[in-house]
Amino acid sequence: MRNTLALTLTAGLSLWPALTLCQTVVDTPSTFTLDAVLATLGAGAPALREAEAELSARRADIAASSLWSNPQLSASYMRSFGYTTFDPQVGVAQFGVSQLIEAAGLPGLRRRVAEGEARASEAALRGLRQGLRGEAATRFYALDAATARAALLRQSEVDAAGLVQRIEARAAAGLGSRYETDRAALYLADLRVARADAESDLVSTRAAFDALLGDDAARFRGEASAPETPDDGASEGLGDLDRLLRRALDRPELEALAARARAAGVQVDVARREVMPGPTLSANVYVGQGYGAQGERQVDWQVGVSLPLPLANDGRAAARAAMSRALSARAAYEFARAQTERAVRAAFEVMTARRAAWVGYLSVAARHEGLVGAAERAWLEGRVSLQALLEARDAVRDSRLRVLDLRREARQSEARLRTLVGAWPEARGPQP
């Protein structure tokens, strides 16, 4: 009779985790996908605001740099207190205007430099957007893994609490020992600590995700949801390594460096011509210069031209500095090209290895799904110890956590490769 009562109580308590799981499923909040995040990623991200303001300034520089210098208006007055050839009472007023004639073509050269810098800023902004997509994907997959990890450990805690209740019921019925109840209580305490750590990590991961999105973060209040299996469409738009290497040479970062290198080359001509920009034409009017009856209404005018003399500054130092900057910009571009090729090769190998590890482990982990049930039946029948049952639970839980880690690493390595080559597919699926 006591055995029948104990088994009945054990069977009833075993339903508690399932009921809790059903309640968890019903209360699950809405989810969002990476496609939805990438489709709405835009001006709300703080990282883009500085680059957009810089691009606006560069575009304004194009118009400003191509303008000639303003004419100079001058006025002066002279009055003599000694011997003079003009009226000592009236004095002489002089009015003039002068204009630098940009005969060396500096406005056009400066405009070419400004256009090159603007193109570099445009490319840098595209690269920043592309990098932001990669960072958003990386943090999205981290958030997805942290969410799944916390949910798995919460469910493990619920299951462990049910196991503790069953063990206590068996002990009360005389079918168990004090050791089993104490060992199960310690097992549950460890799980609670692990669950608390996972939830803390989820809070930190969510904060990092929201910080990247800025104002757009309010649109994604649910849970991140990534594909749980390495489906065939995961590598869409990537192709083989040779194709990726060719595509990587068109990445915005390299385009920006190339544009700056060209602008630095034009700046060499600017430095050489600034020493002799052109002549300055002037026109002046003198009023009141005459003396006596003949000069009462005398008005004189004067025109002139002046040329700079490159004596103190012949421009060679500025030209050498500009040439060095141009060589530096070119070297930076060539170095970045080489670095990009190496980075793409490494990222491709890492992605391939990560995906292979994920796929390989999934095939093995799937065979362990029935391990806990078999171990618990064997424990109830007295064929294995409680420690063996707990070890089976740990093994299955660790296997599931390992799958989450492998999925995150594989997805993040793919995001890294996509960012390097700019191979982000068009957004799919519903948007929030």
Side-chain angles (χ1 to χ4, degrees):
M1 180 64 180
R2 294 177 58 188
N3 292 345
T4 303
L5 179 61
L7 291 176
T8 302
L9 181 60
T10 301
L13 291 175
S14 65
L15 295 176
W16 173 252
L19 293 175
T20 306
L21 179 59
C22 291
Q23 181 65 30
T24 302
V25 172
V26 171
D27 294 339
T28 298
S30 61
T31 60
F32 59 90
T33 65
L34 177 61
D35 289 330
V37 174
L38 298 183
T40 58
L41 191 64
L48 293 177
R49 295 172 184 168
E50 180 182 356
E52 289 172 347
E54 176 67 19
L55 176 57
S56 178
R58 293 296 185 185
R59 287 172 175 170
D61 285 340
I62 295 176
S65 61
S66 60
L67 299 176
W68 279 24
S69 58
N70 290 320
Q72 301 292 318
L73 179 65
S74 61
S76 61
Y77 172 76
M78 296 183 297
R79 183 177 178 182
S80 177
F81 293 96
Y83 178 79
T84 181
T85 58
F86 53 80
D87 191 334
Q89 301 300 322
V90 177
V92 178
Q94 178 181 354
F95 304 92
V97 63
S98 60
Q99 173 65 54
L100 173 65
I101 307 300
E102 302 272 9
L106 284 174
L109 291 176
R110 293 193 186 101
R111 181 182 181 89
R112 289 174 56 191
V113 173
E115 288 173 343
E117 292 293 341
R119 284 192 293 269
S121 295
E122 290 174 354
L125 179 57
R126 291 197 305 273
L128 182 59
R129 288 196 177 111
Q130 183 172 300
L132 189 61
R133 291 165 70 87
E135 184 64 23
T138 298
R139 298 192 187 188
F140 171 86
Y141 290 130
L143 180 60
D144 168 69
T147 301
R149 184 182 187 88
L152 192 154
L153 289 174
R154 281 194 293 266
Q155 188 59 50
S156 296
E157 182 183 350
V158 170
D159 294 341
L163 177 63
V164 169
Q165 291 178 0
R166 293 196 296 276
I167 292 175
E168 291 175 347
R170 282 171 54 87
L175 300 177
S177 65
R178 178 65 182 271
Y179 164 79
E180 289 187 337
T181 57
D182 291 345
R183 181 65 186 88
L186 180 60
Y187 179 79
L188 178 59
D190 288 338
L191 272 178
R192 284 172 176 165
V193 172
R195 184 264 305 159
D197 288 342
E199 290 182 341
S200 298
D201 180 65
L202 175 58
V203 172
S204 301
T205 307
R206 179 77 208 203
F209 178 78
D210 290 348
L212 179 69
L213 296 186
D215 298 338
D216 292 333
R219 308 180 66 176
F220 303 100
R221 291 293 89 197
E223 294 182 352
S225 177
E228 297 182 0
T229 58
D231 55 310
D232 294 337
S235 299
E236 176 185 346
L238 290 178
D240 58 17
L241 179 59
D242 291 337
R243 179 174 178 270
L244 293 175
L245 289 172
R246 291 192 300 270
R247 185 166 184 172
L249 296 181
D250 295 329
R251 61 183 304 207
E253 289 83 353
L254 293 180
E255 183 181 346
L257 289 174
R260 289 195 172 96
R262 290 191 295 269
V266 178
Q267 189 63 41
V268 176
D269 290 335
V270 173
R272 288 170 176 169
R273 299 187 190 187
E274 277 183 337
V275 69
M276 289 289 290
T280 300
L281 301 181
S282 60
N284 301 283
V285 177
Y286 298 89
V287 180
Q289 187 172 355
Y291 180 75
Q294 294 181 350
E296 290 181 357
R297 293 185 298 275
Q298 181 177 348
V299 177
D300 300 323
W301 65 279
Q302 175 186 1
V303 295
V305 61
S306 60
L307 291 172
L309 297 178
L311 300 178
N313 179 14
D314 60 4
R316 286 183 292 181
R320 286 196 300 270
M323 179 65 75
S324 296
R325 292 189 182 95
L327 293 175
S328 175
R330 186 65 188 179
Y333 170 69
E334 296 294 343
F335 178 74
R337 278 178 59 99
Q339 286 290 85
T340 296
E341 180 178 351
R342 286 191 288 268
V344 170
R345 290 183 182 276
F348 185 82
E349 292 179 4
V350 169
M351 186 198 72
T352 303
R354 296 290 190 192
R355 286 181 60 82
W358 182 21
V359 173
Y361 193 82
L362 279 177
S363 62
V364 177
R367 306 204 312 253
H368 297 160
E369 289 303 315
L371 181 61
V372 171
E376 186 160 350
R377 288 191 298 271
W379 169 68
L380 289 173
E381 295 170 0
R383 292 186 286 110
V384 298
S385 65
L386 175 64
Q387 184 63 32
L389 172 60
L390 298 182
E391 289 176 355
R393 284 177 171 270
D394 286 339
V396 173
R397 185 183 66 254
D398 291 344
S399 174
R400 291 172 179 172
L401 292 174
R402 183 57 174 158
V403 168
L404 295 179
D405 290 339
L406 290 172
R407 183 177 75 186
R408 172 182 54 79
E409 292 167 357
R411 295 301 191 192
Q412 288 181 338
S413 64
E414 177 193 329
R416 167 63 176 165
L417 181 59
R418 288 188 181 279
T419 301
L420 283 173
V421 301
W424 285 102
E426 294 297 327
R428 304 179 301 274
Q431 300 178 17

